[in-house]
Amino acid sequence: MILEAVMLKVRPGMEEEYEEAFRHASEIIASMKGYISHELQRCIEVKGKYLLMVKWETLEDHTVGFRQSNEYQGWKKLLHRFYDPFPTVEHFENIRL
């Protein structure tokens, strides 16, 4: 399992519109091969800051299967206009302790 983690900064005043758009975008990502789950967290201290966490079966399910899909174009259309600056996506793997 791979965790995609993204710190998002939404343009001021667009938070409610973003959250509504994300509800629609959630249907897109949830339909993808290798998708396990996702959650969007709103920062308490900083208005307009969010943390997106998506669990994928493999790294390629995200970087190839999703990012190179037609569905990703719909995701971009719904969400990318809200971000300033554009976010950096990072991937993590669990360490067995």
Side-chain angles (χ1 to χ4, degrees):
M1 192 272 311
I2 298 297
L3 176 65
E4 169 196 356
V6 190
M7 195 65 66
L8 305 164
K9 184 70 175 118
V10 171
R11 296 174 190 277
M14 298 184 81
E15 296 85 3
E16 286 184 31
E17 185 181 353
Y18 172 71
E19 291 177 19
E20 182 61 27
F22 195 90
R23 286 182 188 90
H24 295 290
S26 290
E27 297 172 14
I28 295 171
I29 200 167
S31 73
M32 300 305 299
K33 178 189 174 296
Y35 165 88
I36 298 172
S37 67
H38 75 280
E39 58 183 84
L40 181 67
Q41 301 281 331
R42 180 187 315 122
C43 184
I44 294 170
E45 292 84 10
V46 181
K47 186 171 177 65
K49 187 175 185 180
Y50 296 82
L51 173 62
L52 171 62
M53 294 174 288
V54 185
K55 292 181 181 177
W56 297 96
E57 290 179 15
T58 68
L59 178 62
E60 291 75 20
D61 286 332
H62 176 233
T63 59
V64 178
F66 180 53
R67 284 279 184 92
Q68 295 181 15
S69 70
N70 290 331
E71 291 85 352
Y72 182 67
Q73 299 310 310
W75 171 273
K76 282 175 49 174
K77 185 176 181 181
L78 281 169
L79 299 177
H80 285 198
R81 65 189 178 93
F82 291 103
Y83 304 134
D84 186 27
F86 195 78
T88 299
V89 176
E90 297 178 303
H91 299 92
F92 297 85
E93 58 187 354
N94 191 32
I95 299 173
R96 298 192 195 281
L97 302 175

